[in-house]
């Protein structure tokens, strides 16, 4: 075990990544006694744990999505402050993924491990930027762990959407977005680009937008698309990806189907979804950001969680680092 | 190059025809000469070069990305050119993108040995979309869902004109089409192409509806057989001969036997067929000859091409298009007798005495293996496009059969939220008396918008299972399917393939058990 110094106290189990000296799981996918939750996306934050430690925003998100009583005990952890749990120091640091998202820094007997959760490095007006935490072991996501994934600058993608709206003023631009994070970020990016008209929302998107506004993330004028009687010609409408190709979108004026996701970088993926205007906007680190972040942490050992771990592990070898795939089951690479 | 790349990128994702036209017209309006002319060439007849870049790209990537990472990327993306475009390192400093016209000019003269270095230099100056477009351009296959005709329509839109006006002079012009743009923008006269063997837009027919037949003045009508080949135009002048498809594509290179027979100047309209002795071969034989770059002597002997002439647009340099059909036809006959061109004959003009007599002739078509009749007003001039009230095609009556809906798939574009593509089956009976449904065809037309809504609702409430965009449904709904013909096909599970199937009626009333048996459908197979 001497050459595997971290596995004695941090290792994957059937319930998810487990920290033994603190007796808690990180983002477990089954109800457990004690859970540390990195952020509110449903493949990370599930209901039914006895006790949960997370940022105040993540707890608010969980209560909005899963109900006020989604866990026995909900403990808010202020960013950057270490809490002792058993024989482990636990501190949450911003991950820049969505509002409230955090990395988990674990300190145990002189060793430091950081579990990234999902993260990105570029600026996002809706959440606190990623913070580099030097560590010995870095557990990184790898959703976009292939060199083909390089997200274009946000401003250019937003410009594409606005240019298309000008070119097709008689059609509705309907943008498929993940409801938590991507939706609000896209709205904020549109606002930064000077777009101040009402943005119309599918009913499934309104509660989280309200929550963001309540937590101080201003999103400008929003309205419920489902109660609007008109066809919303010339407007920008947002909806969950599944609604793009469903009956919901029928009454819109000749919709231009847009989809905002890092997967849109690859033509086949955009075609598969029947997208007319792909927007490469992602809340995950792209390939250069993954590599830069790993370098920045100074970690000598890197575990790669969900995503395309094969290429990233290979790359770690080329960098002279000890990289391993942490085969966590039950993660969906489509969650974006 | 940047704007051209953005155009190709957007076109590739845009399903609608109108939207594609808008995007292209906006590009042609905003882009200067000669770049837009080369873009037009790329979108229509293609650029005059193509390079096999696979090996060149492999060598370039060798210096830039670990082989294993490249392999994993390629496996994921599924296309080498796109993968290279995506993984190519971003340049340290942003440089001006190369102009499309400069790229084309350099490629036209390039020494094969310099290709790698030149591609490298361009890739370093482009963004991901630009790199993808450049590599598509090099390989000569754009595949963005734009036909040459659509691109010409977009150019014509610059002058609010139509594609026929562009088509009329197209083959007398060459890239980068400076004189075409100058004319369309009102800066110059229409380019002079007199005497050149250019394409003249064809006159097309409308399908004959019942009300058309009732309104028909039988005295004023001439009738011909509707032959099952492809409609062509043979144009000869200035010592050159060309063979055009009905959309204006030059298909001459595949038919040297026909072009070799041309010893005249003129423009003739006819049907391209494969003819052995007096027999017209099935359409499938003609397909063996279409789209072939290299034609072997064996192909020529096995599938001899032939043109059955319908009409004459020009004889010598005399334009006959303003004359009535009967006058043009007389001129064509006189010319034919005088010239006796090889590999051509005249399509017969049919005689009939009354409407009932004409209908009787029409009813014989299926039996003698002919697609139907063409009806032409005797006094019609030769008009481009599909003018109303002049020519009609009267296809032989469709066959119909009652099938059971098995699978439904979402459509695309406007129909993407509807289950609009239907796979239907017939009953196969086994020796032990049990019955199973076998798919016999697929149709995505023939129903009204209101029927589509009803079908969509029925499918959503009768789904058995889903595979991606496809749903399988309970075997309960009977569709009356109309089709032109049915053939044996070893590639299909049922062993049969329908030609032009469409939904004729939805039989909400009919029990699925009473739908057709496969054995009944097999009896409809065309024996010819």
């Amino acid at each position: 075990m001497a050459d595997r110094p971290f596995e004695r106290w941090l290792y994957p189990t059937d319930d998810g990544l487990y920290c033994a000296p603190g007796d808690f799981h990180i983002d477990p996918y089954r109800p457990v006694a004690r859970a540390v939750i990195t952020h509110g996306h449903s493949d990370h934050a599930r209901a039914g744990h006895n006790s949960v430690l997370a940022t105040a925003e993540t707890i608010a998100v969980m209560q909005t999505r899963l109900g006020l009583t989604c866990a026995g005990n909900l403990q808010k952890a202020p960013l950057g402050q270490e809490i002792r749990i058993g024989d482990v120091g636990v501190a949450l640091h911003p991950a820049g993924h969505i509002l409230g998202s955090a990395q988990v820094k674990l300190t145990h007997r002189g060793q430091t491990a950081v579990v990234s959760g999902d993260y990105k490095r570029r600026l996002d007006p809706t959440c606190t930027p990623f913070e580099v935490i030097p560590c010995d072991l870095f557990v990184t996501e790898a959703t976009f762990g292939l060199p083909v994934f390089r997200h274009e600058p946000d401003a250019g993608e937003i410009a594409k959407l606005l240019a298309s709206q000008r070119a097709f003023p008689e059609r509705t631009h309907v943008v498929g977005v993940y409801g938590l994070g991507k939706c609000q970020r896209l709205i904020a990016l549109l606002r930064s680009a000077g777009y101040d008209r009402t943005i119309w929302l599918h009913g499934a998107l309104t509660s989280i937008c309200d929550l963001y506004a309540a937590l101080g993330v201003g999103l400008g004028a929003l309205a419920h698309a489902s109660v609007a009687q008109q066809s919303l010609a010339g407007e920008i409408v947002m909806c969950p990806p599944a609604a793009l190709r469903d009956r919901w979108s029928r009454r819109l004026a000749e919709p231009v189907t847009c989809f905002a996701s890092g997967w849109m970088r690859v033509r086949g993926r955009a075609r598969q979804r029947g997208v007319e205007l792909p927007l490469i906007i992602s809340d995950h680190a792209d390939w250069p950001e993954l590599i830069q972040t790993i370098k920045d942490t100074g970690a000598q050992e890197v575990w790669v969680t969900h995503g395309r771990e094969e290429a990233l592990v290979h790359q770690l070898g080329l960098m002279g680092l000890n990289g391993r795939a942490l085969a966590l089951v039950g993660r969906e690479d489509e969650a974006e | 190059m940047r704007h051209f790349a953005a155009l190709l990128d957007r076109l590739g994702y845009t399903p609608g025809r109108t939207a594609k036209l808008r995007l292209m017209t906006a590009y042609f309006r905003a882009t200067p000469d000669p770049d837009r002319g080369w873009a037009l060439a790329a979108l229509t007849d293609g650029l005059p070069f193509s390079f096999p870049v696979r090996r060149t790209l492999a060598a370039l990537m060798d210096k830039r990305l670990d082989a294993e990472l490249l392999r994993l990327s390629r496996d994921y993306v599924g296309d080498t050119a796109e993968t290279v475009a995506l993984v190519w390192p971003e340049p340290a400093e942003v440089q001006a993108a190369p102009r499309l016209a400069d790229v084309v000019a350099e490629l036209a003269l390039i020494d094969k040995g310099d290709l790698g270095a030149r591609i490298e230099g361009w890739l370093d100056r482009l963004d991901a979309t630009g790199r993808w477009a450049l590599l598509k351009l090099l390989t000569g296959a754009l595949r963005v869902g734009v036909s040459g005709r659509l691109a010409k329509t977009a150019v014509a839109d610059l002058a609010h004109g139509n594609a026929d006006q562009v088509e009329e002079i197209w083959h007398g012009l060459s890239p980068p089409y400076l004189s075409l743009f100058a004319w369309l923008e009102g800066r110059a006269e229409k380019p002079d192409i007199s005497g050149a063997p250019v394409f003249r837009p064809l006159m097309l027919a409308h399908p004959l509806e019942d009300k058309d037949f009732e309104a028909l003045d039988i005295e004023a009508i001439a009738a011909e057989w509707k032959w099952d080949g492809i409609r062509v135009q043979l144009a000869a002048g200035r010592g050159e001969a060309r063979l055009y498809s009905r959309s204006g594509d030059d298909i001459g290179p595949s038919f040297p036997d026909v072009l070799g027979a041309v010893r005249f100047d003129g423009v003739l309209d006819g049907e391209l067929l494969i003819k052995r002795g007096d027999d017209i071969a099935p359409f499938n034989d003609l397909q063996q000859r279409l789209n072939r770059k290299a034609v072997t002597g064996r192909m020529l002997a096995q599938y001899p091409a032939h043109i059955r002439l319908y009409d004459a647009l020009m004889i010598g340099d005399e334009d006959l298009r303003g004359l009535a059909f009967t006058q043009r036809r007389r001129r064509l006959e006189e010319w034919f007798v005088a010239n006796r061109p090889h590999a051509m004959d005249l399509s017969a003009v049919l005689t009939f005495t009354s409407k009932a007599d004409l209908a009787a002739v029409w009813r014989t078509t299926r039996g003698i293996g002919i697609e139907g009749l063409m009806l032409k007003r005797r006094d019609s001039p030769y008009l481009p496009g599909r003018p109303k009230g002049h020519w009609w095609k009267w296809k032989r009556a469709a066959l119909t059969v009652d099938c059971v809906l098995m699978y439904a798939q979402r459509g695309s574009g406007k129909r993407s939220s509807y289950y609009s593509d239907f796979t239907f089956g017939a009953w196969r009976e086994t020796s032990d008396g049990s019955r199973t449904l076998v798919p016999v065809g697929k149709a995505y037309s023939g129903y009204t918008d209101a029927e589509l809504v009803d079908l969509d609702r029925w499918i959503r409430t009768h789904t058995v299972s889903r595979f991606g965009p496809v749903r399988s449904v309970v075997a309960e709904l009977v569709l009356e399917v109309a089709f032109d013909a049915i053939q044996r096909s070893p590639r299909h599970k049922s062993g049969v393939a329908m030609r032009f199937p469409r939904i004729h009626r939805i039989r909400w009333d009919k029990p699925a058990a009473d739908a057709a048996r496969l054995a009944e459908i097999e009896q409809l197979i065309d024996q010819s």
Side-chain angles (χ1 to χ4, degrees):
Chain A
M1 292 298 270
D3 58 333
R4 294 259 186 261
F6 303 103
E7 269 175 86
R8 277 172 298 177
W9 60 279
L10 185 67
Y11 47 85
T13 68
D14 286 349
D15 294 329
L17 192 61
Y18 180 64
C19 179
D23 188 23
F24 60 83
H25 290 81
I26 299 171
D27 292 352
Y29 26 81
R30 281 205 278 255
V32 297
R34 254 197 302 194
V36 176
I37 305 291
T38 60
H39 66 284
H41 279 147
S42 56
D43 51 342
H44 295 260
R46 289 163 214 258
H49 307 307
N50 285 344
S51 95
V52 161
L53 180 74
T55 63
E57 293 87 350
T58 296
I59 287 173
V61 166
M62 287 177 73
Q63 288 182 317
T64 304
R65 298 185 119 196
L66 305 170
L68 289 172
T69 56
C70 60
N73 172 43
L74 291 157
Q75 185 188 350
K76 292 173 191 168
L79 286 175
Q81 285 185 26
E82 188 177 279
I83 297 168
R84 293 302 295 181
I85 303 180
D87 194 14
V88 189
V90 180
L92 300 185
H93 293 270
H97 175 58
I98 61 166
L99 182 62
S101 66
Q103 313 171 68
V104 184
K105 179 185 176 186
L106 305 168
T107 318
H108 176 65
R109 298 190 185 166
Q111 291 179 332
T112 305
V114 169
V115 180
S116 76
D118 292 339
Y119 65 97
K120 68 172 173 291
R121 299 299 299 271
R122 60 193 70 198
L123 284 183
D124 173 346
T126 66
C127 64
T128 318
F130 181 91
E131 189 183 316
V132 173
I133 312 296
C135 55
D136 306 307
L137 165 68
F138 187 51
V139 183
T140 182
E141 66 140 321
T143 307
F144 292 112
L146 266 182
V148 294
F149 292 110
R150 226 183 284 152
H151 309 324
E152 301 291 329
D154 303 336
E157 299 301 294
I158 294 294
K160 238 162 68 175
L161 173 59
L162 294 175
S164 179
Q165 189 194 24
R166 280 192 299 276
F168 296 100
E170 77 290 3
R171 302 175 67 185
T172 308
H173 280 69
V174 52
V175 190
V177 287
Y178 199 60
L180 168 59
K182 186 67 64 62
C183 171
Q184 297 75 26
R185 172 155 169 239
L186 207 67
I187 295 171
L189 288 171
L190 280 164
R191 298 308 184 204
S192 321
Y195 187 79
D196 54 9
R197 285 160 59 182
T198 298
I199 294 172
W200 300 82
L201 300 178
H202 182 281
L205 301 179
T206 52
S207 62
I208 295 292
C209 286
D210 291 346
L211 176 68
Y212 265 57
L215 292 174
V217 181
L219 299 174
L222 306 176
H224 211 303
S226 308
V227 297
Q229 287 307 302
Q230 64 273 49
S231 65
L232 298 175
E235 301 295 331
I236 293 177
V237 177
M238 298 200 185
C239 68
L244 277 180
R245 301 192 61 176
D246 209 351
R247 284 170 285 185
W248 177 83
S249 61
R250 273 184 200 171
R251 68 197 165 80
L252 303 175
E254 272 188 82
V256 178
T257 31
C258 318
F259 190 55
S261 159
W263 300 113
M264 296 298 102
R265 171 90 167 167
V266 174
R267 266 154 227 285
R269 297 298 287 256
R271 289 246 174 75
Q272 214 171 42
R273 284 183 172 271
V275 174
E276 185 164 348
L277 184 65
L279 302 171
I280 307 166
I281 297 182
S282 174
D283 286 332
H284 294 270
D286 63 8
W287 177 260
E289 287 176 29
L290 289 171
I291 291 167
Q292 187 59 48
T293 306
I294 288 164
K295 283 185 190 159
D296 289 349
T297 62
Q300 287 305 300
E301 171 123 1
V302 178
W303 294 353
V304 182
T305 66
H306 60 300
R308 322 214 140 258
E309 51 267 50
E310 191 181 355
L312 192 55
V313 169
H314 180 79
Q315 170 70 23
L316 290 167
L318 297 176
M319 291 161 69
L321 299 177
N322 187 12
R324 281 198 290 152
L326 197 69
L328 291 180
V329 290
R331 303 290 199 191
E332 293 173 9
D333 72 338
E334 298 295 324
E336 236 286 77
Chain B
M1 187 79 211
R2 210 160 52 84
H3 292 293
F4 179 60
L7 174 70
L8 290 187
D9 184 50
R10 188 81 204 259
L11 285 174
Y13 290 119
T14 302
R17 183 179 180 275
T18 325
K20 279 181 175 151
L21 281 174
R22 284 258 287 278
L23 293 167
M24 284 190 283
T25 306
Y27 169 83
F28 290 127
R29 186 167 288 132
T31 309
D33 290 321
D35 301 84
R36 57 179 172 177
W38 290 112
L40 179 59
L43 289 165
T44 51
D45 303 340
L47 292 170
F49 51 74
S50 76
F51 298 95
V53 291
R54 224 188 151 81
R55 209 173 294 161
T56 311
L57 290 182
L60 291 176
M61 286 319 298
D62 221 23
K63 295 184 271 178
R64 287 177 172 78
L65 187 67
D66 174 78
E68 177 66 3
L69 291 177
L70 181 63
R71 184 188 67 78
L72 289 167
S73 298
R74 165 70 183 71
D75 284 355
Y76 180 78
V77 174
D79 177 271
T80 304
E82 186 183 345
T83 308
V84 171
L86 293 177
V87 300
W88 193 266
E90 300 295 339
E93 55 190 281
V94 179
Q95 305 172 66
R99 282 184 64 168
L100 176 57
D102 295 342
V103 171
V104 172
E106 291 194 45
L107 285 172
L109 302 169
I110 204 160
D111 185 80
K112 284 263 161 66
D114 298 338
L115 189 61
R118 201 47 56 82
I119 293 177
E120 190 170 24
W122 286 323
L123 290 177
D124 277 340
R125 292 162 58 191
L126 290 162
D127 64 6
T129 308
R131 295 190 292 262
W132 166 79
L134 174 76
L135 296 177
K136 288 278 151 195
L137 205 61
L138 287 171
T139 51
L142 296 183
R143 294 180 208 283
V144 290
V146 169
S147 66
R149 174 83 184 175
L150 198 66
K152 288 169 199 166
T153 308
V155 179
D157 279 348
L158 287 175
H160 306 289
N162 62 54
D164 287 338
Q165 295 167 301
V166 173
E167 216 61 275
E168 179 101 8
I169 54 172
W170 181 258
H171 292 278
L173 308 175
S174 55
Y177 304 109
L178 301 181
S179 60
L180 174 68
F181 284 107
W183 168 56
L184 290 169
E185 289 176 341
R187 291 182 282 112
E189 292 295 308
K190 185 168 176 171
D192 178 22
I193 44 90
S194 53
V198 300
F199 173 72
R200 268 82 177 175
L202 261 57
M203 181 164 177
L204 302 171
H206 285 272
L208 187 80
E209 312 276 347
D210 290 348
K211 60 175 177 9
D212 298 325
F213 186 66
E214 280 161 30
L216 220 52
D217 173 5
I218 201 72
E219 302 286 316
I221 291 294
E224 298 170 56
W225 299 120
K226 186 177 185 314
W227 298 102
D228 189 13
I230 66 166
R231 185 83 181 280
V232 289
Q233 182 177 94
L234 183 59
R238 290 188 190 169
E240 267 186 90
R242 300 245 179 103
L243 187 66
Y244 296 112
S245 73
R246 77 180 219 177
S247 54
D249 295 328
D250 186 352
I251 58 168
S254 302
F255 297 94
D257 41 351
V258 170
L259 290 182
V262 175
R263 307 264 183 280
F264 56 86
D265 283 359
V267 181
L268 305 174
D269 183 337
E271 193 87 2
L272 182 64
L273 301 161
I274 299 297
K275 183 164 172 269
R276 297 191 191 93
D278 287 338
D279 293 336
I280 298 298
F283 186 75
N284 195 34
D285 286 30
L286 178 58
Q287 270 178 326
Q288 307 304 316
R289 288 285 307 269
L290 293 170
N291 302 321
R292 287 203 183 258
K293 285 221 173 90
V295 193
T296 61
R298 191 154 160 267
M299 295 237 65
L300 293 175
Q302 218 173 346
Y303 303 105
H306 180 89
I307 297 185
R308 187 149 280 179
L309 298 167
Y310 293 133
D311 213 326
L313 287 72
M314 298 185 76
I315 287 180
D317 55 8
E318 187 189 353
D319 195 335
L320 308 178
R321 286 179 287 178
L323 301 180
F325 171 74
T326 42
Q327 290 169 290
R328 296 198 309 275
R329 174 76 196 190
R330 203 177 59 236
R331 296 288 300 273
L332 176 66
E333 286 169 6
E334 288 166 8
W335 171 87
F336 187 83
V337 171
N339 288 272
R340 293 280 164 196
H342 179 67
M344 290 173 219
D345 64 4
L346 293 174
S347 177
V349 175
L350 307 175
T351 51
F352 53 93
T353 52
S354 64
K355 263 193 196 181
D357 190 21
L358 182 61
V361 174
W362 174 74
R363 277 192 294 274
T364 65
T365 51
R366 185 171 289 283
I368 56 178
I370 282 180
E371 242 198 324
L373 297 181
M374 290 297 301
L375 305 184
K376 300 178 176 178
R377 253 174 51 188
R378 294 175 182 277
D379 62 353
S380 292
Y382 194 95
L383 302 166
R386 207 184 295 272
K388 278 213 167 88
H390 293 275
W391 287 10
W392 296 269
K393 52 185 170 192
W394 193 9
K395 284 201 177 182
R396 62 188 178 189
L399 299 167
T400 62
V401 64
D402 288 334
C403 297
V404 182
L405 179 62
M406 297 179 69
Y407 307 101
Q409 185 173 353
R410 284 179 199 267
S412 56
K414 273 188 185 174
R415 283 185 181 167
S416 61
S417 73
Y418 291 94
Y419 285 90
S420 61
D421 297 9
F422 308 109
T423 302
F424 42 82
W427 297 108
R428 173 181 275 157
E429 291 174 332
T430 49
S431 48
D432 64 358
S434 67
R435 291 158 42 114
T436 50
L437 275 177
V438 213
V440 292
K442 192 172 175 184
Y444 37 87
S445 65
Y447 41 74
T448 64
D449 288 350
E451 283 173 329
L452 177 59
V453 171
D454 291 342
L455 283 167
D456 181 76
R457 187 177 310 126
W458 189 90
I459 287 154
R460 288 170 191 274
T461 50
H462 293 78
T463 300
V464 176
S465 56
R466 302 170 65 161
F467 333 85
V470 180
R471 288 178 185 231
S472 75
V473 296
V474 289
E476 280 179 9
L477 185 61
V478 177
L479 301 173
E480 185 179 327
V481 177
F483 53 95
D484 181 61
I486 193 156
Q487 283 143 1
R488 287 213 182 276
S489 165
R491 285 185 298 142
H492 294 84
K493 198 172 161 191
S494 60
V496 297
M498 288 178 177
R499 196 163 175 207
F500 305 136
R502 64 254 177 210
I503 308 298
H504 189 55
R505 262 199 302 170
I506 309 167
R507 297 293 306 268
W508 301 106
D509 56 311
K510 188 164 183 167
D514 296 349
R517 287 173 293 120
L518 187 57
E520 295 167 41
I521 294 180
E522 283 168 347
Q523 285 175 0
L524 299 172
I525 288 172
D526 208 344
Q527 302 302 333
S528 66

